Amino acid sequence: MPEGDVSEVGDQTSVPADVRSEHCYDVIVVGGGIAGLSAAYRLRTHDTLVLEASERPGGRVFSHSSDTGIQNFGAHMFGGPGTVVGDLCLELGLSLRPIDAGLMGFTFQDQLMLDAKPALLPFLIPLPPLARISLLKAGARLRIGAARAGSCLARTAQNGWDQMTEARFANGDDKTLSRYLGVLHPAAAKIMQAITERCGGDPTQISAGHGLRSFANVWSSSSPGFNLCGGSSKFPEALAAALGNRLRLGSRVNDVSREGDGVVVTGQDGHGQPFRYRAKTAILATPAPITKRIASDLPEPTRNALGEVRYGPFLSVSVNTTEDTPGLLEETYAVSTPQAAFSVLFNQATNRFSLGGHELGGSLMMFAGADRAAQLLSLSDDQIIENFMDDLKRLIPSLSGITNPTVCRWENGAPFAFPGRSSLQPELTRPIDRVALAGDYLEFPNMEAAINSAHEAARRVSAWL
Ligand SMILES: Cc1cc2nc3c(=O)[nH]c(=O)nc-3n(C[C@H](O)[C@H](O)[C@H](O)COP(=O)(O)OP(=O)(O)OC[C@H]3O[C@@H](n4cnc5c(N)ncnc54)[C@H](O)[C@@H]3O)c2cc1C
């Protein structure tokens, strides 16, 4: 089973006086996910050290390559040129491939709809009349709300980072998405739930603003975006290569404290050996609950706000396929599957036979989020694979040569905004002496947000240095 989240462990370190502690770095970055790596990359002309707990860089950006093809387990839709993600990939010499396909297919009552325009789906899904009316009403409310969310984003993008992120959370923060949508027919509610799972929470948990922002992203003209040639992990791997020995893998931080005019970072390396490093400043690029645990001397209101951030679980199962002619999914990127064990099927090898870059096998990622993922997390990998494979073969019987089914569990899959979430933002973004926070939980969670927060943290650190 590939490693997803780094689970929390208690403080097991008794720190001896360590010779390495004599050196004082300019900045220590804790966490080698995409936020930590891009912060360190920005600060690479300084004396920088990145400490990452796991044995690979990238955190929730994670793919694996083998001689049967690429398998993706985490982030896969990249922004193109003009976004911070796209521009950084290009700066690193990576190749982006447009996802040249209809964004969304749909299955319901075992009917596979791949060619319909998303706006027409509510008319085509086999539903009883009351369920169809309910779905159409919900769709209209989403369209109106998402358009409003989109224009709010455009307006606030002109402001500074703090005001911008605050405004993004404040929009639609007074109620849940399910209250915003009103009472739905059970069949319409099931469809809605499957579509919103990738927010990490169900419509009864996420704020209306968070749900609408997610739809605004999906319906934006730049969606679905780009895939990274060679697999998503090429991105953190390229950042790691640029950082060289500034990045230490297998280094789990247990405590970050401000001491004298600097910061002391302690933890354990991959051999169980304690370490203790000193720096002038630190960037904490770990998920909110871990940041709260390791940074015990942050101001109490900031620690409290970190503890209030809510995450939902994700679970992905990836497979390769061995077809040698274009199959049913050749021109489809995502198929919503509300009645399967998973909620979306992502084709990671779209247009494999018509575009370059898929010289190896086909690649599918089955995804579950929120409550559906929470229930699956209690099953063994074999049980999950059996459930997912049964549904995959039932939905697309023509798929041939399915190999390498692999489960990846993300207990902290995505932070989601809930009603009242905006009240945390001032404490989460407030400047703290010598320590800056970074991570996708500071914004609408995706790679773009993680890197934006990292650039802001790097800006603060540069000002202190
Ligand atoms: C299944 C899935 C699909 C997604 N799809 C997309 C998508 O298509 N597009 C998109 O833009 N985003 C997507 N995302 C979201 C995206 O992956 C995240 O928003 C982003 O990668 C978060 O980066 P981060 O650096 O903030 O956090 P993380 O990636 O969680 O990085 C935190 C790092 O801290 C490390 N760490 C934890 N504890 C310690 C410790 N004690 N000491 C040292 N290190 C520690 C972790 O190992 C990890 O590497 C997806 C996420 C998932 C899980």
Side-chain angles (χ1 to χ4, degrees), residues 68-296:
T68 51
I70 292 158
Q71 288 187 300
N72 187 70
F73 301 99
H76 48 105
M77 288 188 270
F78 284 62
T83 65
V84 283
V85 173
D87 288 347
L88 186 51
C89 286
L90 297 176
E91 183 181 328
L92 292 163
L94 301 170
S95 305
L96 293 161
R97 184 180 53 245
I99 304 172
D100 177 19
L103 175 58
M104 199 73 172
F106 208 89
T107 63
F108 208 71
Q109 313 285 33
D110 285 353
Q111 260 193 46
L112 189 57
M113 289 160 268
L114 296 181
D115 297 327
K117 288 202 179 337
L120 294 180
L121 280 172
F123 297 98
L124 302 175
I125 299 170
L127 286 172
L130 285 179
R132 190 179 311 285
I133 292 168
S134 177
L135 190 62
L136 282 166
K137 271 191 186 160
R141 295 222 70 190
L142 284 176
R143 283 275 170 193
I144 294 166
R148 249 189 251 133
S151 65
C152 164
L153 290 184
R155 278 199 312 278
T156 55
Q158 304 306 322
N159 299 329
W161 191 77
D162 291 355
Q163 291 87 343
M164 180 171 84
T165 57
E166 235 175 293
R168 284 178 180 183
F169 280 111
N171 188 32
D173 184 58
D174 57 334
K175 52 172 106 54
T176 61
L177 182 65
S178 68
R179 255 196 71 200
Y180 172 82
L181 293 175
V183 179
L184 297 180
H185 184 283
K190 196 173 174 71
I191 291 171
M192 225 26 101
Q193 181 159 348
I195 299 175
T196 51
E197 271 179 33
R198 60 192 206 91
C199 294
D202 292 318
T204 54
Q205 300 172 307
I206 61 176
S207 67
H210 193 82
L212 293 172
R213 168 86 190 268
S214 156
F215 279 94
N217 287 352
V218 169
W219 286 329
S220 84
S221 55
S222 57
S223 194
F226 292 75
N227 284 150
L228 196 59
C229 295
S232 301
S233 275
K234 291 279 176 211
F235 185 25
E237 284 164 9
L239 286 166
L243 292 172
N245 61 12
R246 298 181 193 88
L247 169 64
R248 302 240 169 108
L249 298 174
S251 300
R252 183 184 298 276
V253 170
N254 289 328
D255 188 69
V256 179
S257 297
R258 285 168 296 171
E259 241 180 67
D261 56 359
V263 179
V264 172
V265 178
T266 55
Q268 265 181 324
D269 69 16
H271 306 289
Q273 292 301 311
F275 59 71
R276 182 178 195 277
Y277 298 113
R278 286 195 313 124
K280 294 175 190 155
T281 63
I283 293 178
L284 305 185
T286 41
I290 298 177
T291 303
K292 179 182 179 189
R293 181 174 58 76
I294 63 180
S296 49

Side-chain angles (χ1 to χ4, degrees), residues 6 33-35 52-53 59-60 73-77 253 314 439-440 446-447:
V6 170
I34 217 64
E52 162 56 42
R60 280 171 278 157
F73 301 99
H76 48 105
M77 288 188 270
V253 170
F314 282 173
D440 65 345
N446 53 27
M447 289 186 281

Side-chain angles (χ1 to χ4, degrees), residues 1-20:
M1 184 191 81
E3 175 205 353
D5 285 333
V6 170
S7 55
E8 290 201 60
V9 290
D11 185 346
Q12 302 158 348
T13 316
S14 71
V15 181
D18 188 317
V19 280
R20 287 174 294 187

Side-chain angles (χ1 to χ4, degrees), residues 259-460:
E259 241 180 67
D261 56 359
V263 179
V264 172
V265 178
T266 55
Q268 265 181 324
D269 69 16
H271 306 289
Q273 292 301 311
F275 59 71
R276 182 178 195 277
Y277 298 113
R278 286 195 313 124
K280 294 175 190 155
T281 63
I283 293 178
L284 305 185
T286 41
I290 298 177
T291 303
K292 179 182 179 189
R293 181 174 58 76
I294 63 180
S296 49
D297 80 343
L298 287 184
E300 211 46 37
T302 305
R303 296 192 72 239
N304 290 341
L306 286 166
E308 294 288 317
V309 175
R310 293 184 201 165
Y311 284 78
F314 282 173
L315 185 139
S316 35
V317 176
S318 278
V319 296
N320 290 127
T321 55
T322 57
E323 75 278 0
D324 51 17
T325 52
L328 206 56
L329 295 181
E330 172 71 1
E331 293 180 1
T332 305
Y333 192 69
V335 183
S336 181
T337 56
Q339 293 173 313
F342 45 92
S343 60
V344 197
L345 171 67
F346 289 108
N347 177 11
Q348 301 289 290
T350 314
N351 288 324
R352 180 177 162 209
F353 294 93
S354 50
L355 285 180
H358 287 303
E359 51 289 321
L360 297 170
S363 176
L364 302 175
M365 171 172 137
M366 288 159 277
F367 167 86
D371 192 42
R372 190 190 309 253
Q375 290 177 25
L376 288 162
L377 287 176
S378 63
L379 302 181
S380 70
D381 282 9
D382 286 346
Q383 287 169 319
I384 294 168
I385 287 172
E386 195 181 326
N387 288 347
F388 278 40
M389 286 303 115
D390 283 352
D391 280 343
L392 183 61
K393 288 175 192 157
R394 177 173 57 77
L395 295 173
I396 311 178
S398 61
L399 271 181
S400 66
I402 301 170
T403 59
N404 296 338
T406 313
V407 178
C408 187
R409 298 159 188 265
W410 302 100
E411 279 176 28
N412 286 333
F416 62 84
F418 47 89
R421 163 65 180 80
S422 61
S423 65
L424 309 179
Q425 199 63 8
E427 281 310 328
L428 293 174
T429 53
R430 150 169 104 130
I432 306 163
D433 187 32
R434 277 164 290 152
V435 174
L437 307 182
D440 65 345
Y441 65 90
L442 293 166
E443 240 268 28
F444 185 89
N446 53 27
M447 289 186 281
E448 190 85 356
I451 300 175
N452 270 327
S453 74
H455 287 172
E456 171 64 14
R459 190 191 62 73
R460 290 182 185 189

